[in-house]
Amino acid sequence: METTTTPWRPPLLWRAGQALARAAVALLGRLEVTGEVPPHLRRGPLILAANHIGPFDPIVLAAACRALGVAPRFMATGGLFRAPVVGALMRRTGHLRVDRGTAAVHRALVDACAAIAAGSVVLVYPEGRIGLDPSMWPERGKTGTARLAFASGAPIVPVAHWGSHEVLPYRAPKGMVRGIARAMLRRPVIRVRFGDPLDLTGLEPGAPGAARRGTDRIIDAITDTLVPLRSDEPQRPRHVDPSRPVDTSRVHRRRPG
């Protein structure tokens, strides 16, 4: 007997959260959103693949997605879901838990595939962490996003943003009050750009190395989307966070310039 899946619809609480995110970004900076998500993809199924440059990124992306009429479900670290209040809100608003470094990490792919099958937009950080490249270009990604695309068949839209690293320091909540006060005074420009839809045509999911090649293609697309946002900072960023560590072990092989 055939069964139907009720399409997922973003809860009112998440819509309100996106509105609150947009107000927060407006208070702390000047948001500029360019590019678009094609109208037929805005309600999913779709994967948004974004670079990760600081703790303020999810707030910025929630606000930018609201500007385009998109309500994504974030794949987020399990620590957020264990927090007393934040965890309950994450579950109530439909976000997806990723327990990195545990035996349960594979569950995230299953849950994300189910979310996409229900018509959701899922937002992923392919780097798997806040990037630690000293020039703040996207670093070599984890293969989970490519595997999700292979398993779900959903298209990918690369998303790049720049400027959110000027709001909250890497080690937030340590230094958060100072960062917020500085941002309110300086009001940095925070740019978000949605790139052209990407698919992984030509890659055979079961072939050896396909997930790695797909991941490199995704990171390349995010990098290309980021280039226009930081044309005046192509090498080292002007804003340097002294609390941010440096790790060159995952430098992506393709870099601008």
Side-chain angles (χ1 to χ4, degrees):
M1 182 175 66
E2 293 186 359
T3 59
T4 58
T5 301
T6 302
W8 187 82
R9 292 290 177 262
L12 181 60
L13 183 61
W14 178 219
R15 291 289 192 182
Q18 284 190 278
L20 184 61
R22 194 161 188 189
V25 174
L27 180 66
L28 299 174
R30 292 163 287 165
L31 181 64
E32 295 180 358
V33 180
T34 55
E36 66 173 2
V37 175
H40 67 283
L41 295 178
R42 290 178 187 172
R43 292 181 177 269
L46 175 66
I47 299 168
L48 296 177
N51 63 326
H52 202 358
I53 59 175
F56 197 55
D57 295 353
I59 306 299
V60 168
L61 291 177
C65 286
R66 178 178 170 82
L68 296 187
V70 178
R73 301 170 72 174
F74 283 73
M75 296 191 74
T77 180
L80 289 175
F81 289 82
R82 291 189 292 272
V85 177
V86 174
L89 289 173
M90 294 290 285
R91 289 187 291 272
R92 288 278 303 274
T93 49
H95 300 299
L96 304 167
R97 178 172 178 160
V98 183
D99 289 300
R100 297 188 182 96
T102 73
V105 68
H106 71 281
R107 183 69 201 177
L109 180 61
V110 175
D111 292 344
C113 283
I116 289 172
S120 300
V121 177
V122 172
L123 191 147
V124 185
Y125 295 113
E127 295 164 278
R129 67 177 185 180
I130 295 174
L132 301 180
D133 178 273
S135 297
M136 293 182 65
W137 288 101
E139 60 186 15
R140 180 164 48 87
K142 301 290 187 177
T143 59
T145 306
R147 295 180 190 278
L148 176 59
F150 288 149
S152 66
I156 303 166
V157 167
V159 186
H161 54 92
W162 189 248
S164 62
H165 61 294
E166 298 187 38
V167 178
L168 294 182
Y170 175 84
R171 298 199 183 278
K174 185 178 180 180
M176 185 170 67
V177 173
R178 180 180 298 178
I180 289 174
R182 183 180 60 242
M184 291 179 70
L185 288 172
R186 297 182 179 179
R187 294 187 52 76
V189 177
I190 302 171
R191 301 179 176 94
V192 181
R193 183 170 181 246
F194 292 81
D196 295 329
L198 167 75
D199 62 37
L200 302 182
T201 301
L203 296 177
E204 181 60 41
R212 170 47 53 195
R213 289 191 293 274
T215 300
D216 289 344
R217 193 180 294 184
I218 292 166
I219 297 295
D220 285 346
I222 295 172
T223 301
D224 291 343
T225 306
L226 177 60
V227 167
L229 302 186
R230 52 177 299 186
S231 58
D232 57 340
E233 300 178 72
Q235 301 302 320
R236 296 296 178 98
R238 285 192 297 267
H239 176 82
V240 177
D241 177 359
S243 75
R244 187 190 197 95
V246 171
D247 179 2
T248 58
S249 66
R250 287 176 52 186
V251 170
H252 184 55
R253 59 180 174 77
R254 174 178 167 184
R255 296 167 66 97

